[in-house]
Amino acid sequence: MALGDRPAFRDGNRVELSVGTWRVIVQRTVPGTVDLARMYDGASWLWHPVMNLLGHPRAYTNLFNRLAADGWLECLPQAAKVLDGGIGTAAFSVALAKAIPCGALEIHGIDISPRMLARARDNLRRLGHAGITAQLRYGNADCLPYPAGDFDMVMSAHMLEHSSDPSATLGEMARVLRAGAPLLIVTTRADRVSAWHGLRWRYRSIESQQLQHWLHLAGLCDVRRYALGGSLRVPGPASEAYIGRKM
């Protein structure tokens, strides 16, 4: 790249570079389920240690503490049934379990990566919390194998960016949520850093206004946005959370 040249970010799917008299375009291709599963299977053995190093578990714990303080978790009944869509290594579910340490919790997780699911089972088992039960299964959040209104809370961290139709995926998550219960989504901010990172992991960032519009279309009300902490190295500036209640 010539001195003074700058990349032009057209959207979350494409980066254009001016190199002298040349214009180079790098464009994201939407990966299929098999490609995504293979990619995350390959990264599963170091995923959780890297997440810890970057501060994600702490950011998630801080988020749940703030949600609890704002009353979002008060609607969860004893032995609440919670779905974690795209559970990965269960870092998000572990943070929720730590936020309500005295209550029982029935965690259901779904993911397209078998090796991620195996590590999620290990991480949930290591909690040593007698009130926590977990049922994890292979599957895609675009077509959830659960009946309507089955869960007291549905949540997902950094999965929606991989969906080929995020609006439909949110609608499916809202479908399995009971009326009045919360839907919690953590996504990557749409900026230049995430654009480069998205090329590596083949996801697209979602603009805040667009995501909130999709949440309303899915039947959510009282939608609020939360930052994931300012002092943390990666999750704080790179991610944000959205939560609302099913009408």
Side-chain angles (χ1 to χ4, degrees):
M1 184 182 298
L3 184 64
D5 288 339
R6 293 291 185 271
F9 294 81
R10 299 302 182 192
D11 54 38
N13 296 317
R14 187 171 68 171
V15 178
E16 296 184 10
L17 304 174
S18 295
V19 184
T21 59
W22 291 82
R23 182 172 293 277
V24 180
I25 298 175
V26 181
Q27 187 163 341
R28 169 186 179 267
T29 58
V30 179
T33 300
V34 173
D35 290 334
L36 274 178
R38 185 181 299 115
M39 181 171 62
Y40 280 97
D41 273 347
S44 62
W45 66 276
L46 52 74
W47 193 263
H48 208 68
V50 170
M51 290 274 284
N52 280 312
L53 181 66
L54 295 178
H56 284 269
R58 179 183 169 193
Y60 293 158
T61 299
N62 289 342
L63 171 63
F64 281 117
N65 288 338
R66 292 169 63 198
L67 294 176
D70 288 348
W72 285 100
L73 305 184
E74 290 178 355
C75 63
L76 296 183
Q78 181 68 18
K81 190 175 182 180
V82 177
L83 173 64
D84 189 342
I87 191 171
T89 58
F92 208 31
S93 287
V94 168
L96 173 62
K98 290 180 178 179
I100 47 176
C102 298
L105 193 62
E106 183 180 330
I107 294 174
H108 292 251
I110 190 167
D111 205 284
I112 61 171
S113 168
R115 292 183 181 177
M116 286 284 194
L117 286 170
R119 279 153 182 78
R121 289 189 184 92
D122 290 341
N123 290 328
L124 289 168
R125 192 179 300 118
R126 289 193 188 102
L127 274 174
H129 192 323
I132 301 294
T133 60
Q135 297 185 35
L136 310 183
R137 64 194 297 176
Y138 173 84
N140 198 315
D142 294 344
C143 186
L144 294 170
Y146 308 102
D150 199 31
F151 291 96
D152 301 305
M153 181 177 184
V154 175
M155 61 185 197
S156 178
H158 300 296
M159 178 274 294
L160 195 64
E161 297 94 318
H162 287 294
S163 173
S164 59
D165 190 345
S167 180
T169 301
L170 287 170
E172 181 67 356
M173 287 192 284
R175 179 187 67 81
V176 301
L177 185 65
R178 67 170 173 81
L183 172 62
L184 172 63
I185 301 293
V186 173
T187 65
T188 308
R189 291 177 186 268
D191 57 21
R192 294 188 173 188
V193 174
S194 67
W196 283 107
H197 197 248
L199 291 173
R200 164 64 181 89
W201 291 102
R202 301 179 69 183
Y203 67 79
R204 64 171 182 176
S205 300
I206 303 171
E207 295 287 347
S208 176
Q209 186 175 1
Q210 180 67 80
L211 178 55
Q212 293 184 62
H213 175 63
W214 285 336
L215 287 168
H216 287 297
L217 286 180
L220 277 294
C221 63
D222 303 326
V223 174
R224 288 189 57 187
R225 173 186 171 275
Y226 285 81
L228 260 70
S231 62
L232 298 174
R233 285 165 289 179
V234 175
S239 303
E240 54 196 2
Y242 295 84
I243 189 168
R245 299 188 194 279
K246 182 177 179 179
M247 291 187 287

